[in-house]
Each structure stands twice: as C-alpha cells, then as structure tokens.
Amino acid sequence: MHFESPIKRRHSRQIMVGNVPVGGGAPISIQSMTNTETCDVDATVAQIRAIADAGADIVRVSIPSMDAAEAFKKIREAVSIPLVADIHFDYKIALKVAEYGVDCLRINPGNIGNKDRIRAVVDCARDKNIPIRIGVNAGSLEKDLQKKYGEPTPDALVESAFRQIQYFDELDFHEYKLSLKASDIFMTVEAYRKIASQIDNPLHLGITEAGGLRSGTVKSSIGLGLLLMDGIGDTLRVSLAADPVQEVKVGWDMLRSLKLRSRGINFIACPSCSRQNFDVIKTMNELEERLDDITIPMDVAVIGCVVNGPGEAKEADIGLAGGSPNNLIYQDGKPNSKTKNDTLVDDLEKMIRQKALLKERELANIIVKN
C-alpha cells in the first residue's frame, strides 16, 4: 500500500549542526545522548559509534565539568558524527568545548546564569559559527516562573523560551533551535504547538524522562507522533531509560511509520493466531536480529496464513504467506517460490538480502545519473 504522507511540515529556518541541516525542509534528524561517564573516553567513543551505526544523525554528550570538557577534546578527535555538548550551570564549560570543535551547544536558560554569561556563550558561538539549542525543561524552570505559575505549565515553558529568544534577538544571534520538554505529554504538546505558531526557528522535539524502554516508547510515540502529524519538528530525541541505540531505533520507527523518513526494513507482520502455518513470532524475532544491518528502505510482509497473507505479500518487496503443506514467498507482488517451515527464515533472509543489494545498485545508478 503506497500512500504518500499527508503531513505538511511547518516552515522553519535552517541551521547546520556540523554537516547535518536542521530545519528549512531538511529531513527530520534523529539524535541520541550518551549515558557513559564522559571522562571515560574509550567507553564514550564506543557508545557514540554504536549510536551512529544505529542510524543517528547527531549525538549529544553531557559535559558536567572541566575534566569532562578536556575528555570531550579527545572524543571529538575520535569520531566524525556531529556532537552536541550538553551544558548546565557553568557557562565556562561551553566556552571550553567550543575551542575543541563542538558542533552545537545546548544550554538551559533555567540554570546557565545571568545575561552576561549567556552573552559570553553567544559571542563565542557566533565567532566559531556554532549553533545553540535553547533547551527549556519543566523540571528546571527559572525560579520566578515557578513562583508565577505555581507549577510547570505550557505557558511557563513558552515564557521561558521567549526570554531567551528576545535576548538572542537583542544580540542579533539567530543560529539556534529550541526545545520545550516535559515528562507530561499534554504539557509538552501544547507548549510546542504554542511556540510553533509564533516563531520560525527549528524545533527539537522530545518527551523528557519518558521512562523505560516500553513505557517510554509508548509515551514518546504518542507525544512526538501528535506533533509530527501537525508538521511540527525538525529534529528529535526519544528519551529512554535504556540503551541509547534503542532510542535511535524507536526514532526511526516513528519517522518510518509516518513516512517522513525511510531507513531499513519496514516489517508488516501479523500478531499470529491458531490459523498460522508457521511460528510467526519466532520468525520475526530471527529476521529482525539477522537483518538489522540492512539500511536500504524495504517493505517485508510476514503473514502466517492465507486470510491476509497473499494480499499483504503482494504489496511488499518481499512477502511470506503461510500455507500448507508449504508457505509461499512473493517478490515484487508476484509468487516466487515455496518454502518449508524449517528453512523459511534462511530462504527469506537470502531473498531479502538479494533484493536489498539490487535496490542499492539502482539507487547508486540514480545518483550517478543525477
């Protein structure tokens, strides 16, 4: 089923985070954040590489101290993916990592300090052509806003953001993106909707402190899904108490589901029932594990019986419809071959890899011609 996405994205200005465009109609970039001890350079570099291999466009690294800033210098030299330095409290850390080639600075208006400190960061960023992310968070709002509103609210988040926007405008600095995050879906969505209609700067989406792998994925999918469906969002991070690689995979699943970006295999699989002619769940688990390295966009249908199997298989690049005594494999909408239960995973993997290789060659030819 080849329906185009009906989503009309919000117009926004474009900034560059390293070599990754953010906003201005560029593909929605996916970010994650390391959870290693930053001063452990080897562990942090290894995790950044794993995150990049999973498909992240940008990686954020926490820099809580000057020692971490010195470690960042070595980290920056070891990896090529754009890096964002996450800065809280001490503005001097931002100045230090700017010297070491950071691609973006994330500052929190709730704790970075007075205007003189912000000016120092902005002047440094301007001098070195580094964009800034203004990261407003419900858990660290300015004290006077906490007193004014009594508790975090969408309006409090927006007011905090506009304070920084106004000051950045006074400094004639426009290379920035914004985030307005809360752990509450409704607060986050309303805050983003409010500010999206008032500014044209790129927006970084996220539900902060969303939870563990399962609950955080659900919460993030609902909150970010609502915003993405509205056309809001230029880059995103799925915040999970889990391996950062999982954040990247969930982010890609979101964008793929909304047809905003494509990477890897889009599996169409039935939940299985007593009509299944093979073990669908086991088959899917094996296929996902074996084929995780494929990055070319593909549709693969795995359906356990003849009720919906042929129909779904005909719409996919590769499809499997359960049958007795043999299952039927489809390629490009047409029956291709039969397979038995004990060989179907091997047979499918072989056909999927062959199809992926063909698609890669076709894509390469298109690029050469253009």
Side-chain angles (χ1 to χ4, degrees), residues 102-345:
V102 74
D103 297 290
C104 182
L105 294 167
R106 188 269 178 157
I107 61 172
N108 186 331
N111 60 38
I112 199 64
N114 59 38
K115 285 188 174 182
D116 289 340
R117 294 178 177 182
I118 296 173
R119 177 191 287 272
V121 174
V122 168
D123 288 345
C124 178
R126 189 198 325 271
D127 181 60
K128 297 184 180 299
N129 197 29
I130 300 170
I132 292 176
R133 172 184 153 206
I134 300 172
V136 179
N137 196 296
S140 54
L141 284 168
E142 296 94 316
K143 291 181 180 179
D144 65 311
L145 291 179
Q146 295 179 36
K147 183 176 181 180
K148 175 180 178 179
Y149 290 95
E151 61 181 7
T153 67
D155 287 335
L157 294 176
V158 172
E159 184 170 341
S160 177
F162 267 113
R163 286 182 177 180
Q164 302 308 311
I165 292 170
Q166 182 178 1
Y167 191 47
F168 276 32
D169 286 346
E170 290 174 7
L171 297 174
D172 195 29
F173 185 81
H174 306 287
E175 297 302 301
Y176 63 89
K177 55 179 176 167
L178 291 101
S179 63
L180 300 88
K181 297 185 180 183
S183 59
D184 181 84
I185 292 173
F186 299 102
M187 187 189 309
T188 303
V189 170
E190 185 175 348
Y192 273 109
R193 284 174 172 168
K194 282 177 177 287
I195 205 156
S197 63
Q198 300 180 65
I199 63 171
D200 67 353
N201 300 88
L203 294 176
H204 168 119
L205 301 186
I207 303 293
T208 194
E209 298 146 1
L213 180 57
R214 185 186 67 183
S215 61
T217 295
V218 172
K219 187 183 292 187
S220 295
S221 297
I222 294 170
L224 301 191
L226 286 168
L227 293 169
L228 292 169
M229 288 284 286
D230 285 346
I232 296 171
D234 302 287
T235 184
L236 64 83
R237 184 219 173 171
V238 179
S239 297
L240 302 175
D243 185 338
V245 167
Q246 296 299 323
E247 297 185 349
V248 179
K249 292 182 178 181
V250 173
W252 272 109
D253 286 341
M254 285 186 195
L255 297 184
R256 187 187 301 115
S257 297
L258 294 173
K259 299 185 177 181
L260 289 168
R261 281 185 79 181
S262 295
R263 183 182 191 272
I265 298 174
N266 174 40
F267 281 106
I268 299 99
C270 69
S272 79
C273 68
S274 63
R275 282 188 293 268
Q276 67 180 359
N277 293 104
F278 61 89
D279 189 332
V280 175
I281 295 173
K282 181 182 178 182
T283 299
M284 278 302 306
N285 287 338
E286 288 191 44
L287 288 173
E288 286 187 327
E289 183 175 352
R290 291 191 189 191
L291 300 169
D292 192 49
D293 61 302
I294 290 180
T295 59
I296 197 78
M298 290 180 63
D299 288 334
V300 174
V302 179
I303 312 297
C305 74
V306 296
V307 174
N308 293 324
E312 292 287 359
K314 289 177 182 177
E315 297 294 331
D317 293 296
I318 302 291
L320 174 66
S324 180
N326 296 309
N327 310 293
L328 185 58
I329 298 179
Y330 289 72
Q331 181 169 327
D332 297 326
K334 298 178 181 180
N336 179 276
S337 57
K338 294 181 179 180
T339 181
K340 296 183 181 296
N341 286 8
D342 58 351
T343 62
L344 68 85
V345 174

